[in-house]
Amino acid sequence: MLKKILIGFGTLVLVLIAVLVILLITVDVDRYKPRIEQAVHDKLDRTLKFDGRLSLSVFPTIAVALPHTTLSERGTDAPFLSLDRARVSLALVPLLSGRLAAGTASLYGLRATIERRADGTSNLDDLIGAPQPKPKVEPTPSESAGAKAHQFELGGIDVVDAQVTYRDERAHNTVTVSRLNLKTGRLATRASTPIDFSASIAATEPPSNVELSAKATADIDLVDHVFGAREIEARARGRSGADQFDVALTAPKIGLDAARVAGGPVKLVATVTGGHQVHAELALQNLAGTGNKFSIGKIAGEVDLDSPALPQKSLKMNLDGSVTVDLQAQDLAARLAAHFDETNASMRTDVHGFSTPRIGFDVELDRLNLDRYLPPAAPASGPKPASAPAVTPAVDPKVDLSALKPLNLAGEMRIGALQLHNVKAGKIKVGVHAAGGHLEMAPLSASLYEGALNGTARADADANRVAANATLDGISIGPLLKDLMGKDLVEGHGGVKLNVAAAGATVGAMRRSLGGGASLALRDGAVHGINIVQRLRDVKSALSGGSTQIQAASSADKTDFSELTASFSIKNGVATNNDLQAKSPLLRVSGAGIIDIGAGALDYTVQASVVGTLAGQGGSELANLNGVTIPVRLSGPFTALSYQLDWGSLARQTAKSKAAEKLRNLLGDKLKQGGQSPAPNLGEALKNLLGK
C-alpha cells in the first residue's frame, strides 16, 4: 500500500514538473512587460520601465529575475527609484507540504530618492497611502502565546551597493546612505544566521560623514518568541564638522524572550579628535528583566578630555549608575553619579513618553568651579599707538533659544558651592520648568558675599527673549564687583533689586535691547576712583592749573559714605539715573547720568557739597567751602574711567555765595600785600594769586 502511495505521489510530482516545464517553454513572460508598465502608469501615474528581458524559471525552483528597472516620480519622468537587477526564487517541493521555502533574495544597485517637502508631504505618500488606525482585536486562543507559527525558510538576503538619498526641505538637510550592503545566512522559523552590514552616511547639516559596520549572529525562534544575538561587533567612524570620531560597541551575547532579557556586558569605546580630544569607555552590566520591562543594573565608565581651551588642559570623569526601562508604559528611570576634579555629582531622572518625552530630574553637586573649564577672559586692552595695526572686531556670539521648544521638563538643581567668572556663591537652589518653548527658573536662591539672592529667571524661545527679577539682601557689594569685574568700584553693605529683560539674536543685540529697572541702597561704604575730600584739600594746586582738571580714576582713591541710594531706568541698553544720593559727615552727594550697558561706557555727573568738617579731614580749608557744590564728571569706558573736576564752577559759586566772603577774608591779606584791590572776578584773582 505504501509503495503504491509513493508511486502515485511521485507520478504527481513528475506531472507537475512536466506542466511547469511546458509553461516555461511555451509562455514568454517578457510579453507581459507592456501590461505591467501600463498598469503602474494607470494606477500610480508613474512610469515603470524594464531595460531588458524579464525571466522566469520553474525547476528546481520558481525564480523571477528583473533586469535594470526604473520607476519615476509621480506625474513626471524624473527618476524616483532604480535598480541594476534583482532575483528571488521559491522552492516547489516544500509548497506541497504547506511550507514556504525561498532561495536568497538578491538586490543589486538600488538607487532611491525620498523627499520631504516644506508643506510636510513626501514623494512616498501615493505609494504608502495615509496610515489607517488598526482596530484592536483580542487574540484568540490559537493566536496567543505558544500558537504554532507559519513555517517559512529563506535562503538569505543579499543587498549589494544600495543608495538612498533623503532630502528634507523643512530642515534644509540632505542625508545620503550609500554603499549599503547587507548579507544574511539562512532565515527560518527557527534559525541561527550570520548578519553582515555596512554603509556610508553623509549629511549636509551639520556637515558629516559616517562609515557604519556591524556583524553578529542572530538567533531566531518565531515559535517560542525567543530572539538573541551573539558575538556582536558594531563600529561607526567618521567626521562631524572639524571633529573626527570612532565609536565601537561589542557584546558577547544578548537574549530576549517573552519572560526575560539577559546578556553579558556591553562595552562601548568612543574617541573624538579635533578641537578637543575625548576618550570614553562605558560598560553596561547586569542586563535583566522581560521583553517589555528591563534594567541595566550597573553602568560604569570613564571619560578623559584633553583640550587646549581648558585652563587645566585635561579632565577625567568617573561615572556610575543604573537604568530601568518600561517599553509598554514608555517610562525610563535612571540614576547617575559622577566624580571629576573636586566635584561629586548625582542625578536622578525620569522620562515619561518616548515620542514626546516629559522629563523630571533632580541634580545635586557638592561644589563646582566652572572657571576650571572656561577659557580665561581676554585681558583688557589699553590705548593703542597710532602705528598699531587695525584689529578685526570680535564676532558677536549668537543667542539661539530654539532648543527650548521641544522641551517638557521639571526638576531641581542644588549646588553646595559654585564659582563662575570668579563670582562665588553657595547653597544654590534652582527650580526648573520648561514647556512649549518657555523656560522658567523659580525659585532661584543662593547665599553670596555675606548676603542672599532670591529671584526668578525666564526665557522665551519664540521671541528669543530672556528676563530676570532678583533681589540681593545684606550683601557686601565691594568683593562682588571686584570678583565680577576685576575692579574696585563701590563698597558697602546693603541691597540691590533688579528687574530686566532683553531680546535679540546675538549677545550684543541683547545688551542693546536691555530694559527694565534697578535700585540699590548701601551703607558704610565708599566710591572708588576719586577722593573728593582730598581734591578739596588740594584746591590751591587745582586752581593754579586752570578752570578744569581731568585725571584718570585710581582705585587707591575713594570717597567714603554712610548712606548711598539710587534707582535706574533701563531702556535700549542704557541705564538712566537721576536720584543718586550719598551722605557722609563731610559731604552730601547727588548725581545723575547714564550707563551705556551695550557699549560698556559711563557718562555721569556727581554734585558734591561740603556740609561740615572733622578734625584731621580738611580743617579750616573745608570749613570755608561749606555749602559750595563741586561738579565731578565721570566718563569713559568701564575699563578706563576718568573724572573731571570743574574748579571754574567752584569759583563762580564762591563769588555768588556766602562762602565768597569767607574766601575773600581768607585771602584778603595776601591780596593787599600784592597791592591789588579785591577783584570782581574771583576766579581770575585766584588764578593771579596762586598761579606762581
Side-chain angles (χ1 to χ4, degrees), residues 4 10 67 104 122 200 210 212 269 331 345 361 366 453 508 564 630 691:
K4 291 181 179 180
T104 299
S122 79
S200 297
V210 185
L212 296 177
V269 179
D331 287 343
F361 69 91
D366 57 354
L453 164 70
L564 186 149
I630 302 94

Side-chain angles (χ1 to χ4, degrees), residues 607-644:
Q607 305 283 347
S609 301
V610 178
V611 296
T613 62
L614 288 177
Q617 294 198 17
S620 59
E621 297 177 29
L622 297 188
N624 288 320
L625 293 177
N626 191 13
V628 175
T629 299
I630 302 94
V632 182
R633 183 186 176 196
L634 299 170
S635 62
F638 294 159
T639 55
L641 287 175
S642 64
Y643 68 89
Q644 175 180 309

